[in-house]
Amino acid sequence: NFFSSSLFSSVACVCVSYSRRYSKQKYASVISQLGGWNWFQELLRTLHDIAESKNTTLANVASKWVLDKPQVAGILIGARNASHVSDMAHVNEITLGASDLEAINAVLDKGKQAKGDCYDWERGGTF
């Protein structure tokens, strides 16, 4: 059978490997265009510090920041394992205060702002 389980598994592994490599290249390119590695590390440190002060995770702080935008009705969460799902269930229990938002925005303001919608870059445009 052409679609034997071993062949299918091999093809799936190659596709996943290519997809992960492509995703890493894509994310690295976006980070580079928005502000560079050091800027990104500063953003992560800021989110981490806020997360520690609220006894939650960096992912929850970032998700809450997005959810608090008036134009955002919901977010899609990619969980690698079940523990991530239970953690994300607490995202709406977090309150980001004025000082938290100021700290995040201070770092974001150092980066380059997108010129179009989130898909322009994928269509070959500038970010």
Side-chain angles (χ1 to χ4, degrees):
N1 183 349
F2 180 74
F3 289 105
S4 70
S5 62
S6 62
L7 175 62
F8 181 76
S9 295
S10 297
V11 170
C13 286
V14 168
C15 289
V16 167
S17 175
Y18 172 78
S19 175
R20 285 183 182 157
R21 185 173 58 247
Y22 176 74
S23 290
K24 286 179 182 178
Q25 291 169 345
K26 183 172 147 183
Y27 294 138
S29 179
V30 169
I31 290 167
S32 175
Q33 291 182 55
L34 287 178
W37 186 251
N38 291 334
W39 169 81
F40 184 60
Q41 293 304 304
E42 182 180 355
L43 178 60
L44 292 176
R45 277 191 303 276
T46 301
L47 295 172
H48 177 266
D49 291 347
I50 294 168
E52 277 194 337
S53 74
K54 298 185 178 302
N55 197 30
T56 190
T57 62
L58 185 153
N60 279 350
V61 171
S63 297
K64 183 62 173 171
W65 181 84
V66 172
L67 283 168
D68 283 349
K69 300 294 179 196
Q71 65 271 31
V72 175
I75 59 174
L76 299 176
I77 308 262
R80 240 184 277 164
N81 60 53
S83 70
H84 295 163
V85 174
S86 61
D87 175 58
M88 292 303 294
H90 302 286
V91 74
N92 281 322
E93 297 169 8
I94 301 166
T95 300
L96 296 177
S99 63
D100 300 324
L101 298 174
E102 287 171 11
I104 294 168
N105 290 332
V107 178
L108 291 176
D109 288 345
K110 294 178 185 178
K112 183 178 175 184
Q113 303 301 309
K115 294 180 176 135
D117 69 42
C118 60
Y119 299 106
D120 282 349
W121 181 78
E122 289 187 350
R123 295 182 194 122
T126 58
F127 196 77

